[in-house]
Amino acid sequence: LVGEVDPDDVHLDAVALPTSQPAEPLVAATVSLRASLAPSSSCRDLTGYVVDAVQRTHDTWTLYVFLGAGEQAYKPGQHVAVDPHQFPELEPWLALLGKLKGSREGARRYSLSSIPGERCISITTKKVPYDPDRDLFPAPLSPLLASAALKGREIQIQGYAGGYCLPDDVASRATHVLHLVAGSGVVP
């Protein structure tokens, strides 16, 4: 959200037109924007290499993954999936968690913190600490991703997915966009 927002111009439908506009364009713009936010997916398995790992805060790291030319075809707001089972060092923990939970650990999704067209994609991950008084199980993947341990290694990702993408013409259809999101807050 950029700049100051007049509360009268903000609607919980995610789009607000100036209050001087008639109600019909607001409804049309909102419905049209909702349609463009419908889930979309062009997921495929991709193999990349972690070319860098940069520590951003005491518990947050950004991994830069080179996928090869033409493999960065995603929209801002999409995410990738990382399967923890590809990392041999996690297998004993994943086996134990699977036994305790009664199910196999699934892939984790990470928002892309890179801009489409950059040489590498990036994901920014916050290490999730384990607190036995609060957490039933530890997070198996975030401690590995939120470190330099994968630098220079191959990584398999599944991407790109997620329909939380604004239409290309959003600037001509709305004066303000309000995003209400959850998560660690480390990526746009």
Side-chain angles (χ1 to χ4, degrees):
L1 187 60
V2 177
E4 294 296 317
V5 177
D6 180 348
D8 293 332
D9 288 341
V10 176
H11 302 271
L12 292 179
D13 287 324
V15 175
L17 296 175
T19 54
S20 61
Q21 296 286 333
E24 292 79 16
L26 173 63
V27 171
T30 302
V31 169
S32 178
L33 181 60
R34 280 189 184 147
S36 68
L37 291 175
S40 67
S41 177
S42 58
C43 283
R44 61 183 195 267
D45 292 328
L46 301 166
T47 300
Y49 296 90
V50 179
V51 296
D52 204 1
V54 178
Q55 188 170 10
R56 301 295 181 186
T57 68
H58 73 283
D59 62 354
T60 304
W61 289 71
T62 298
L63 297 182
Y64 293 89
V65 179
F66 180 72
L67 296 171
E71 296 294 347
Q72 295 87 347
Y74 64 91
K75 290 186 166 198
Q78 290 190 307
H79 61 271
V80 295
V82 179
D83 187 343
H85 292 275
Q86 67 182 293
F87 305 111
E89 60 268 46
L90 296 181
E91 276 308 317
W93 299 110
L94 296 172
L96 175 61
L97 286 172
K99 184 175 181 175
L100 293 173
K101 291 180 175 182
S103 63
R104 183 178 191 272
E105 287 293 311
R108 306 296 196 277
R109 279 135 187 86
Y110 297 93
S111 296
L112 291 156
S113 54
S114 50
I115 298 170
E118 291 182 332
R119 184 176 158 271
C120 297
I121 66 162
S122 63
I123 57 173
T124 302
T125 308
K126 182 177 180 180
K127 182 186 255 182
V128 178
Y130 175 63
D131 179 352
D133 293 329
R134 182 193 69 213
D135 304 319
L136 191 55
F137 302 107
L141 191 53
S142 77
L144 185 63
L145 295 179
S147 72
L150 294 178
K151 187 174 179 179
R153 289 179 57 183
E154 185 177 281
I155 187 171
Q156 302 289 321
I157 63 169
Q158 188 180 44
Y160 301 97
Y164 190 73
C165 304
L166 294 175
D168 294 334
D169 64 345
V170 68
S172 67
R173 295 172 31 197
T175 58
H176 297 89
V177 177
L178 175 64
H179 298 273
L180 302 174
V181 297
S184 62
V186 296
V187 296

